[in-house]
Amino acid sequence: MTELNHLTIAGALAGLAKKEFTSFELTMACLAQMQKHRDLNAFVTETQERALEMAMNSDVRRAQGQAMGAMDGIPLGIKDLFCTEGVLTTAGSHILDGFHPTYESTVSANLWKAGAVMLGKLNMDEFAMGSSNGTSYHGPVTNPWRRKGENTRLVPGGSSGGSATAVSARMVLAATGTDTGGSIRQPAAFTGIVGLKPTYGRCSRWGIVAFASSLDQAGPMCRTVEDTAIMLGAMAGYDPKDSTSVDVPLPDFRKAIEGGVKGLKVGVPKEYRLDGLSLEIAKLWEQGVAWMKEQGAEIKEISLPHTKYALPVYYIIAPAEASSNLARYDGVRFGLRVPGESLDDMYEQTRAAGFGKEVRRRVMIGTYVLSAGYYDAYYLRAQRIRALILKDFTDAFKDVDVVLTPSTPSAAFGLEEKFDDPVAMYLNDVFTVTVNLAGLPGISVPAGLDSRGLPLGLQLIGRAFDEETVLRAGRAIERAANFTAKPEGF
Amino acid sequence: MSLDQKQVKHIATLARIRVEDAELPGLVNELNGIMTWIEQLNEVDVTGVEPMSGVQSRDLPRRPDVINDGGDPEKVLKNAPDSTHGFFVVPKVVE
């Protein structure tokens, strides 16, 4: 029999329903795997006691024939960006030392309401700023995948790097992530799992530590498209506590996935064929196009002319919003305080000690582009180009139902590979960041291995609030790719 | 246009982050690297394009003007590095 921690959510729900095993046993199997692979550094905090208590409660509900939630008894990891009541929440930063929220984020509360079990809090880039998990105050996370015949430790991507590693290494059945420029989809691609960024407004941002409020969105990271559909349904929903949460009906995502792609119009954006795009990525993309055609989809070349400006626009808008959001870390209300001679001195010393280099860099860029004399030239101009990027998509979606692209420009890279130039690291998000700027849903689905044995992903982008088509198209790629590879030893 | 040490020091003050003088040259280089890369946005014609602060064009929703939260000073102060008599404590501001 398969080890329980290797089950999908759908498989585990079926097994629990048939009483083949208990949530307690399933949770124990996950906890054992977490302990065995602590060297990967996926967790910041393990909540073993709470996990076993939640699992036992689920088993009692089932034994007594009570109503069961959509994810009852399923053990999950939670990115350390979600506030969890009474459980340390650090956002990967030194400045949130010792922060135990007195409230629960709406998304995690929804998951507990659906009966899910919390295994712990997952490592991440500091304040979700990074693409390698290398900026975490708690140290880097290691990808369970290795290049064929090599022992070089690889990054899991970021910022949801702990989530990606935990799902890929079978420590958890699934995990929450957040995505501001690609932070769910890029690590999902690097670790051979599925990651979905929902439409902006689909999941509540309440209780999630804010990075860039007009871009941030929470989403599921799972091992199959079906699991992703199940978990999205449990996470999403209107929340009056988030004024940007949108009050629209919640479809049955799981039902949507098997519809097939016959007659679906799939757009392939010519601007994503970057100069110097790796041959392997280009080949995988062509393969994806062929898979869609074979299943009856109609392929159309489309144009998204402002694609090349998306990253620089992002690196004005995201830091600007971050500089404002991170003003709250002042050593007064929570987290780290470094004493100073005056109030300003305390602020400056606390923030110098508490923020890492990448966060400091982005807060300073954001402060600069919002400062008097530069606001129009940088921030307002970026907001105008953002409108053009959205218009590119709006125009394209008049002709197509979904857009197919690669998820990342490369496979996972080495932990020790230096990125002295911050801009080189930013390019990781070249295929994902447009989706955040336009507020659209996007999924990364594992589609194959490169010549060195590392997973690569394909991305599908849909119209706002049309996650159903995104999931259905993602399922078509999953079916054709039949990606069954696992990291060696897991 | 590129940033010099004096400007970067000023930005750090605005952001309330202490930057030691020894760190300034490196920081100037990093920030200039990023800002130079961003300059490519100047080639886009944005005439007549409205700036967009978020993807939702609709008005923010309103709720009835009633008290629906509060009265929980212990919870508010629970994570404070220093508090007393129901207040946050900060270094002396007024002489």
Side-chain angles (χ1 to χ4, degrees):
Chain A
M1 184 185 151
T2 330
E3 289 168 64
L4 296 179
N5 54 304
H6 285 246
L7 291 171
T8 59
I9 294 176
L13 285 171
L16 287 166
K18 284 190 236 154
K19 302 206 162 63
E20 287 168 4
F21 48 84
T22 61
S23 172
F24 187 85
E25 288 165 332
L26 178 62
T27 301
M28 285 294 282
C30 290
L31 290 169
Q33 184 79 344
M34 284 161 60
Q35 273 182 22
K36 191 173 161 196
H37 295 290
R38 277 202 182 125
D39 59 314
L40 299 179
N41 202 26
F43 281 84
V44 175
T45 306
E46 297 179 6
T47 54
Q48 180 163 344
E49 279 175 33
R50 183 175 296 218
L52 292 175
E53 191 190 317
M54 290 171 102
M56 280 190 282
N57 288 342
S58 170
D59 289 334
V60 168
R61 281 194 294 275
R62 199 174 297 276
Q64 293 179 344
Q66 294 180 32
M68 302 304 280
M71 293 188 64
D72 225 302
I74 301 299
L76 301 178
I78 301 295
K79 187 179 184 180
D80 209 21
L81 201 64
F82 293 79
C83 287
T84 42
E85 192 172 352
V87 176
L88 181 68
T89 299
T90 71
S93 182
H94 184 30
I95 212 160
L96 272 169
D97 271 3
F99 177 56
H100 288 73
T102 54
Y103 46 83
E104 187 78 27
S105 81
T106 298
V107 162
S108 53
N110 287 347
L111 289 166
W112 313 143
K113 231 176 287 160
V117 169
M118 175 164 76
L119 294 165
K121 301 295 291 292
L122 292 158
N123 205 343
M124 53 178 285
D125 278 302
E126 185 179 4
F127 286 111
M129 299 179 191
S131 304
S132 70
N133 217 113
T135 72
S136 170
Y137 178 68
H138 310 290
V141 176
T142 305
N143 192 329
W145 291 83
R146 304 267 164 113
R147 292 176 188 132
K148 246 183 303 184
E150 274 186 39
N151 265 327
T152 315
R153 292 194 305 155
L154 304 177
V155 304
S159 67
S160 311
S163 303
T165 281
V167 175
S168 175
R170 273 71 184 165
M171 299 175 189
V172 301
L173 271 62
T176 60
T178 62
D179 191 317
T180 304
S183 282
I184 287 176
R185 291 159 288 156
Q186 184 253 18
F190 276 15
T191 56
I193 65 168
V194 181
L196 180 129
K197 183 203 91 75
T199 310
Y200 184 83
R202 180 65 95 179
C203 289
S204 169
R205 291 181 299 108
W206 193 83
I208 300 174
V209 175
F211 162 17
S213 302
S214 81
L215 304 164
D216 297 344
Q217 187 60 202
M221 299 174 76
C222 304
R223 292 197 284 264
T224 66
V225 172
E226 184 181 25
D227 285 6
T228 305
I230 295 171
M231 186 161 162
L232 175 63
M235 292 170 72
Y238 174 62
D239 178 13
K241 286 192 286 193
D242 171 4
S243 63
T244 60
S245 158
V246 179
D247 194 2
V248 290
L250 208 54
D252 184 342
F253 296 114
R254 194 176 179 179
K255 236 189 204 155
I257 64 171
E258 293 297 354
V261 292
K262 200 165 186 329
L264 196 75
K265 290 185 197 131
V266 178
V268 177
K270 61 178 184 197
E271 289 81 4
Y272 278 53
R273 280 185 239 284
L274 307 174
D275 292 339
L277 179 65
S278 107
L279 270 177
E280 288 198 285
I281 302 282
K283 221 174 80 189
L284 182 83
W285 193 12
E286 275 167 34
Q287 178 66 69
V289 168
W291 283 332
M292 292 305 255
K293 242 190 239 168
E294 281 161 23
Q295 295 180 67
E298 186 188 329
I299 308 295
K300 286 192 160 188
E301 186 176 86
I302 57 165
S303 175
L304 301 168
H306 296 89
T307 297
K308 69 176 276 210
Y309 302 110
L311 268 178
V313 162
Y314 177 84
Y315 277 95
I316 290 178
I317 289 175
E321 294 185 17
S323 73
S324 166
N325 274 326
L326 271 58
R328 75 191 68 183
Y329 304 103
D330 56 6
V332 175
R333 288 157 297 166
F334 30 65
L336 183 74
R337 166 182 284 193
V338 178
E341 287 166 14
S342 64
L343 188 61
D344 273 331
D345 190 40
M346 183 194 79
Y347 291 156
E348 291 191 348
Q349 297 217 45
T350 298
R351 290 163 65 81
F355 291 147
K357 282 199 162 65
E358 182 62 28
V359 173
R360 177 176 76 175
R361 198 180 284 145
R362 295 206 201 177
V363 168
M364 288 182 68
I365 293 271
T367 304
Y368 176 58
V369 300
L370 291 176
S371 63
Y374 301 99
Y375 183 89
D376 287 9
Y378 290 116
Y379 186 60
L380 266 189
R381 170 167 281 268
Q383 286 190 317
R384 292 184 207 277
I385 302 173
R386 183 178 180 184
L388 294 173
I389 290 165
L390 173 61
K391 186 175 178 296
D392 285 353
F393 277 105
T394 311
D395 291 346
F397 279 122
K398 285 175 189 157
D399 295 326
V400 298
D401 303 308
V402 74
V403 174
L404 174 68
T405 78
S407 301
T408 57
S410 75
F413 45 88
L415 222 55
E416 317 296 333
E417 281 167 32
K418 292 281 183 215
F419 278 89
D420 289 335
D421 174 10
V423 173
M425 183 64 97
Y426 298 167
L427 292 175
N428 266 290
D429 290 333
V430 64
F431 296 133
T432 47
V433 74
T434 49
V435 177
N436 300 78
L437 291 168
L440 304 173
I443 195 171
S444 175
V445 178
L449 298 177
D450 74 0
S451 57
R452 298 203 275 188
L454 295 180
L456 296 171
L458 287 171
Q459 174 179 236
L460 292 143
I461 305 165
R463 296 186 180 98
F465 296 102
D466 190 12
E467 283 87 355
E468 289 166 282
T469 301
V470 169
L471 286 161
R472 186 152 57 93
R475 175 71 188 113
I477 292 287
E478 182 182 53
R479 198 184 297 121
N482 190 24
F483 185 88
T484 53
K486 278 186 211 168
E488 211 186 310
F490 288 88
Chain B
M1 198 209 88
S2 72
L3 294 161
D4 58 26
Q5 293 200 17
K6 199 177 147 219
Q7 280 173 299
V8 169
K9 185 100 187 164
H10 178 61
I11 296 166
T13 305
L14 289 176
R16 296 292 183 273
I17 301 176
R18 171 72 44 86
V19 173
E20 302 304 334
D21 288 344
E23 295 177 278
L24 275 176
L27 203 50
V28 167
N29 276 340
E30 281 172 17
L31 297 186
N32 275 329
I34 297 168
M35 294 314 295
T36 307
W37 172 66
I38 282 172
E39 294 296 331
Q40 59 179 297
L41 295 180
N42 290 332
E43 66 197 51
V44 183
D45 181 7
V46 293
T47 321
V49 182
E50 283 299 309
M52 162 183 167
S53 56
V55 288
Q56 283 144 349
S57 49
R58 70 199 174 91
D59 294 330
L60 288 176
R62 297 178 184 200
R63 63 167 175 82
D65 186 15
V66 291
I67 297 167
N68 64 1
D69 198 2
D72 237 337
E74 291 79 19
K75 273 192 172 182
V76 172
L77 290 168
K78 189 181 165 286
N79 282 287
D82 193 2
S83 69
T84 186
H85 305 305
F87 292 97
F88 294 106
V89 176
V90 296
K92 196 168 175 182
V93 179
V94 183
E95 286 301 325

